[in-house]
Amino acid sequence: MFSIKYLKRGYNDVLNILFPRFCLSCDKVLHHNEHDICHRCLSGLQLTGFDYRSNNPVYEKLSAIVNIESATALFLFDKSGVVQKLIHNLKYNNQPEIGVFFANSSIDYLSNPGFFNGVDYIIPVPLHPKKQRKRGYNQMTEFGKNLEKIFKVPYSEKILFRHIHTESQTKKDALQRRENVKNAFRVVKPGKYTGKHFVIIDDVITTGATVEACAETILNNITQAKVSILALTMVL
Ligand SMILES: [Zn+2]
């Protein structure tokens, strides 16, 4: 017997042929029962499940340098390379839907307990305006906007500003990186934000120098500010 289920399935198959959707990580054509990421890539993605404040390498690394409330990373940096590929596509291939995917993937992990409890603003590590103009976007925008939607905490790119364009960090060691970005940021109208709690979002934490400089700029310029850090992943 002809059923609605088969009709729907057939319709989806036709849609898939006419308008194929591609895996955000490996670019393979998605099956009708796959969304955003193919099953194979999805199996390579693993949430860290870190506590926000203890037994957590991200918190331990960053809190040794700067006075933060909480810090964590969403996904394990893994040999499968799926996270790396997603972040690469997010950063250089302008695929904002990856930011949406990351935000949706983090709902359960960041809800229990609430990572955003008591948080007033979500802000990205800012790009220098010249770099942002060249790239055309900040790769954290969609992730941040979707966190705002999900957790009802405002996302703002107008609070922290990058006024010094630093040269590439890749060939520098931790100390040189720290020195390089120390004074690269400033807070716009710090008097407006007394006592506020900020979550800084970043894609990959390596030495942590950039995100530490952002946190320090906020703590040094805003009275009684608090800072937490959320990265997509961290190279351990
Ligand atoms: Zn895939």
Side-chain angles (χ1 to χ4, degrees), residues 50-54 56 59 70-72 109-115:
F50 292 150
D51 288 343
Y52 309 145
R53 291 202 61 144
S54 56
N56 164 352
Y59 179 78
S70 310
T72 194
Y109 169 55
L110 295 176
S111 299
N112 303 300
F115 185 81

Side-chain angles (χ1 to χ4, degrees), residues 23 26 38 41:
C23 172
C26 73
C38 73
C41 288

Side-chain angles (χ1 to χ4, degrees), residues 61-205:
K61 182 169 193 159
L62 299 175
S63 65
I65 307 283
V66 64
N67 186 17
I68 49 172
E69 303 300 310
S70 310
T72 194
L74 284 182
F75 291 99
L76 292 176
F77 192 86
D78 180 278
K79 278 187 229 115
S80 70
V82 179
V83 172
Q84 292 94 306
K85 186 73 203 297
L86 284 171
I87 292 175
H88 179 90
N89 286 342
L90 179 68
K91 213 164 165 176
Y92 301 108
N93 295 335
N94 194 9
Q95 288 183 264
E97 59 273 36
I98 295 174
V100 181
F101 168 79
F102 279 136
N104 288 333
S105 311
S106 67
I107 297 175
D108 287 346
Y109 169 55
L110 295 176
S111 299
N112 303 300
F115 185 81
F116 291 99
N117 288 354
V119 170
D120 298 291
Y121 293 99
I122 300 167
I123 58 177
V125 169
L127 300 177
H128 188 271
K130 226 175 174 177
K131 191 165 177 184
Q132 181 146 341
R133 261 201 306 279
K134 207 170 147 202
R135 188 177 289 174
Y137 53 93
N138 181 319
Q139 68 269 23
M140 299 312 282
T141 300
E142 280 312 307
F143 179 60
K145 281 186 177 168
N146 279 275
L147 291 178
E148 169 180 291
K149 232 187 261 170
I150 296 163
F151 296 101
K152 314 288 179 226
V153 175
Y155 170 77
S156 176
E157 295 184 358
K158 295 190 172 135
I159 297 171
L160 194 64
F161 180 75
R162 186 171 196 141
H163 63 111
I164 296 175
H165 179 64
T166 50
E167 45 187 305
S168 170
Q169 298 268 68
T170 45
K171 291 207 174 84
K172 297 185 177 351
D173 64 26
L175 201 69
Q176 287 171 321
R177 286 184 185 213
R178 204 159 281 134
E179 206 44 47
N180 198 29
V181 291
K182 210 169 82 183
N183 301 310
F185 303 97
R186 72 178 171 79
V187 177
V188 182
K189 299 186 184 159
K192 260 178 82 177
Y193 304 106
T194 302
K196 300 293 184 198
H197 185 173
F198 301 86
V199 167
I200 303 172
I201 54 174
D202 198 5
D203 46 20
V204 184
I205 290 183

Side-chain angles (χ1 to χ4, degrees), residues 23 25-28 37-38 40-41:
C23 172
S25 175
C26 73
D27 295 331
K28 273 210 281 243
I37 309 255
C38 73
R40 188 153 182 260
C41 288

